Structures are given as C-alpha cells and as structure tokens.
C-alpha cells in the first residue's frame, strides 16, 4: 500500500483491490484526476456525489477504497510531475 500517512479511520487491513470495490476505486481515481483539492476538502463533495447516485455500497463502506484510489492517483501525479521536471531539465541542456 502506497499511502504515506493514512487518516485515522483508514483500515489498512482491508483489501481495497477486491472486486466489490472496483466502482469505488474508479470513482476515487477519476475524482483525483479532476480536482486539485486535498482529501480533507474534497471528501464532503465526494460523499455527496456517491450518496446521491445509484452506486454500489454506502459511503462509509467504500470510503476507504475511494481514499485509497484517490491517494494512489495523486501519488502517480506527483511522480509524473517529478519525471516531467527532470526530463524538461535534460532536454534544455
């Protein structure tokens, strides 16, 4: 698991890659790609969207999976940005 500092409510013992979480994982990844907010600020909006649409599971059951995917996607953005900075610097030589 790649989460640096998980929230206190996050249960690292749960396998969030289990098929029952696939919709929540996709939701978390998509949200992370389309928002610049940090989790603390975004969670309320994500909860409202999840809860108001016909999705699988209650928010409290999928919250960890959404966060897991959110965090994973955000970390991949950070790594991609670092790679881009390095390659831009090399290209400028």
């Amino acid at each position: 698991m790649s989460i640096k500092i998980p929230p206190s409510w996050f249960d690292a013992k749960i396998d969030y890659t289990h098929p029952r979480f696939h919709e929540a994982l996709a939701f978390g990844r998509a949200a992370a790609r389309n928002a610049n907010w940090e989790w603390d600020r975004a969670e309320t909006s994500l909860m409202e969207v999840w809860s108001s649409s016909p999705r699988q599971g209650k928010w409290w059951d999928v919250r960890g999976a959404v966060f897991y995917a959110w965090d994973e996607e955000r970390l991949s953005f950070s790594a991609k940005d670092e790679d881009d900075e390095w390659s831009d610097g090399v290209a400028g030589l």
Side-chain angles (χ1 to χ4, degrees):
M1 191 168 298
S2 59
I3 297 172
K4 292 180 183 176
I5 303 172
S8 60
W9 50 262
F10 185 81
D11 188 351
K13 293 176 274 182
I14 295 176
D15 178 10
Y16 292 114
T17 62
H18 189 276
R20 70 185 175 114
F21 292 117
H22 282 182
E23 186 177 19
L25 293 171
F27 180 73
R29 286 184 191 113
R33 281 191 295 268
N34 292 297
N36 292 328
W37 299 345
E38 293 302 319
W39 177 261
D40 293 343
R41 189 167 169 218
E43 183 181 8
T44 303
S45 296
L46 295 173
M47 179 177 61
E48 287 179 24
V49 171
W50 182 272
S51 299
S52 66
S53 60
R55 300 190 185 276
Q56 297 175 351
K58 301 286 183 206
W59 175 252
W60 301 113
D61 297 332
V62 299
R63 181 185 190 197
V66 174
F67 174 77
Y68 174 82
W70 169 281
D71 190 66
E72 183 179 67
E73 192 70 22
R74 301 284 284 198
L75 287 174
S76 74
F77 283 160
S78 296
K80 204 177 291 183
D81 287 346
E82 289 173 9
D83 288 346
D84 288 346
E85 288 176 16
W86 183 83
S87 62
D88 290 347
V90 172
L93 288 177

